[in-house]
Amino acid sequence: MRADARKIHSHLFAVAREVVAEQGAAASLREIARRADVGLGTLYRHFPTREALFEALLRSALDDLTRKAGDLESTDAPGEALVAWFRDGIAFVRSYRGVVELMAGAIDDPQSALHASCTTVRSAGANLLHRAQATGVARADIDGADLFALMASLGWLGDQAAFAPRAGHLADVIASALLTDRHLRSRKHA
């Protein structure tokens, strides 16, 4: 890609991130092009479909979340690592209204541009969960798919005006429910 095309691509990406953060997954591509001060055709040359644009935006965030899981795998506290990653995942899902629907559709559709990123982040979370389960600090009756679904559900909950004020509290409840009583008792004595 030529330097000028790379510059336009980066600018479109930054503007798209802002617009999608404001308007969610239903953001207007025309609005993105308008704010970037380019024609709609230019936007489509860089991101040929709506899904391609969202794949680029979300892939970056999902890759960051996957890296965080990898970093957390080496910590001495598997329960805290799991909960920290879970909270980061909820924050990501809440960062773009409507992203839950895109992720839910992509996880089961190998043809989706988001499929690989979604399955990778789900696997990264599953690794943290398995590590915490192996040490006895996380519930044994859930798996990585459950963890991913809980994360997505709590993100969706925050998008709902009636539930948004309770979203933080409910995230705390679910995060603590991931852990065993043994883990909670050991934290009280620490």
Side-chain angles (χ1 to χ4, degrees), residues 6 25 32 43 67 70 76 90 100 107 132 143 146 154-155 164 181:
R6 240 187 337 270
I32 293 168
L43 176 66
R67 271 190 294 284
D76 291 334
I90 295 168
V100 171
I107 202 77
D143 62 16
D146 296 333
L154 288 166
D181 289 339

Side-chain angles (χ1 to χ4, degrees), residues 3-172:
D4 58 335
R6 240 187 337 270
K7 184 178 176 183
I8 292 169
H9 187 86
S10 294
H11 178 63
L12 282 167
F13 188 82
V15 170
R17 182 178 283 161
E18 289 174 19
V19 173
V20 173
E22 291 170 16
Q23 299 177 8
S28 163
L29 297 182
R30 286 188 189 286
E31 177 65 11
I32 293 168
R34 186 190 68 74
R35 286 198 200 178
D37 201 27
V38 300
L40 196 55
T42 299
L43 176 66
Y44 280 118
R45 272 192 298 283
H46 289 270
F47 302 102
T49 64
R50 178 184 230 16
E51 187 175 52
L53 174 61
F54 277 94
E55 189 270 336
L57 287 171
L58 299 179
R59 184 183 59 227
S60 174
L62 288 167
D63 290 349
D64 287 345
L65 194 55
T66 299
R67 271 190 294 284
K68 286 180 186 179
D71 293 344
L72 288 168
E73 279 190 62
S74 62
T75 65
D76 291 334
E80 281 88 8
L82 173 63
V83 169
W85 181 85
F86 184 70
R87 289 181 187 285
D88 286 346
I90 295 168
F92 156 68
V93 174
R94 291 193 68 197
S95 66
Y96 297 128
R97 283 185 327 276
V99 74
V100 171
E101 288 180 51
L102 294 172
M103 290 172 61
I107 202 77
D108 289 330
D109 180 6
Q111 302 305 311
S112 168
L114 290 173
H115 179 75
S117 294
C118 287
T119 56
T120 300
V121 82
R122 180 176 64 183
S123 293
N127 290 342
L128 288 173
L129 175 63
H130 294 297
R131 183 171 169 253
Q133 288 169 329
T135 61
V137 297
R139 296 171 60 123
D141 61 343
I142 61 174
D143 62 16
D146 296 333
L147 186 68
F148 187 77
L150 287 169
M151 183 177 73
S153 298
L154 288 166
W156 174 86
L157 193 72
D159 284 348
Q160 310 311 306
F163 302 128
R166 306 288 301 153
H169 168 72
L170 294 172
D172 290 342

